[in-house]
């Protein structure tokens, strides 16, 4: 991620560079350095509980790695 601009308004650029995916919708959790945390979620899914589980898992993994990177 060090090759990415410090501030990028173009989210699809980050999506393509980090995950090699350009479709939407696309959800990913990243740590304070911009590194991916857990598995991203791609595509439309009307399952609210499934999305909440994705967020909870991401938060759990984020806390496990710490924020002092």
């Amino acid at each position: 991620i060090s090759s990415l601009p410090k501030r990028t308004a173009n989210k699809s650029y980050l999506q393509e560079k980090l995950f090699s995916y350009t479709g939407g919708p696309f959800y990913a959790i990243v740590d304070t350095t911009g590194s991916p945390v857990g598995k991203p979620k791609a595509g439309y899914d009307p399952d609210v509980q499934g999305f909440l589980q994705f967020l909870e898992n991401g938060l759990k993994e984020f806390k496990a790695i710490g924020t002092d990177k």
Side-chain angles (χ1 to χ4, degrees), residues 19-34:
F19 304 101
S20 301
Y21 185 84
T22 57
F26 186 81
Y27 306 98
I29 298 171
V30 296
D31 66 15
T32 57
T33 66

Side-chain angles (χ1 to χ4, degrees), residues 26-59:
F26 186 81
Y27 306 98
I29 298 171
V30 296
D31 66 15
T32 57
T33 66
S35 297
V37 175
K39 183 178 175 187
K41 186 170 180 66
Y44 174 73
D45 184 357
D47 179 16
V48 174
Q49 291 304 315
F51 188 70
L52 288 174
Q53 188 65 48
F54 162 76
L55 293 174
E56 290 168 359
N57 289 343
L59 181 59

Side-chain angles (χ1 to χ4, degrees), residues 1 3 8 14 17 25 29-30 37-38 48 60 62-64 69:
I1 192 147
S3 64
T8 303
L14 292 175
K17 292 296 179 190
I29 298 171
V30 296
V37 175
V48 174
K60 181 179 174 182
F62 180 79
K63 286 180 177 180
K69 280 184 146 185

